[in-house]
Amino acid sequence: MRILWSLVALGLLVGSGCAGRRKDGPEPAASKPIITPGKATGRVAAVNGAGRFVVVTFPLGTLPTPDRRLHAFRDGLKVAELRPTEWQRDFNLVADIVTGDCQVGDDVREE
């Protein structure tokens, strides 16, 4: 009799382990990462202060068009507004400095 009750208790323990809550609905949004495509970010490679232009290097295939306005950022703060020219080669482009001041290493992106 004691063995029978032990087997019943063991069966109840094993069965209760598999009887957890089922997730019928979708997972909460917080558990899935949200991926949004970013705009191309370049970096100032050279500055000509007298001519008021910069050479900006972008990742391959992400050069902005000449009609776009670009902004230079240093430590998260906007320091200059740039206007791309027609001079583009490979992954480099020349941009005129419209306002502000640039330094080598500043981040450049579209706004």
Side-chain angles (χ1 to χ4, degrees):
M1 187 73 158
R2 190 177 252 175
I3 294 175
L4 180 64
W5 283 110
S6 297
L7 290 175
V8 170
L10 182 63
L12 288 174
L13 285 173
V14 170
S16 67
C18 297
R21 290 181 63 181
R22 290 184 64 192
K23 294 182 180 179
D24 292 330
E27 293 183 20
S31 66
K32 292 183 180 179
I34 298 173
I35 300 172
T36 56
K39 295 183 178 178
T41 302
R43 201 165 285 269
V44 175
V47 179
N48 185 327
R52 303 269 311 152
F53 69 88
V54 295
V55 177
V56 183
T57 301
F58 281 89
L60 192 60
T62 59
L63 283 176
T65 58
D67 60 338
R68 305 292 297 197
R69 288 286 180 169
L70 302 174
H71 299 281
F73 293 87
R74 188 178 314 130
D75 298 326
L77 298 173
K78 186 167 103 172
V79 293
E81 183 177 337
L82 308 173
R83 183 180 56 236
T85 64
E86 297 291 328
W87 293 92
Q88 298 182 358
R89 184 166 188 160
D90 296 331
F91 46 86
N92 295 312
L93 84 96
V94 176
D96 293 325
I97 301 172
V98 179
T99 60
D101 187 34
C102 287
Q103 293 178 0
V104 174
D106 288 348
D107 292 325
V108 176
R109 61 181 180 256
E110 297 179 55
E111 281 295 307

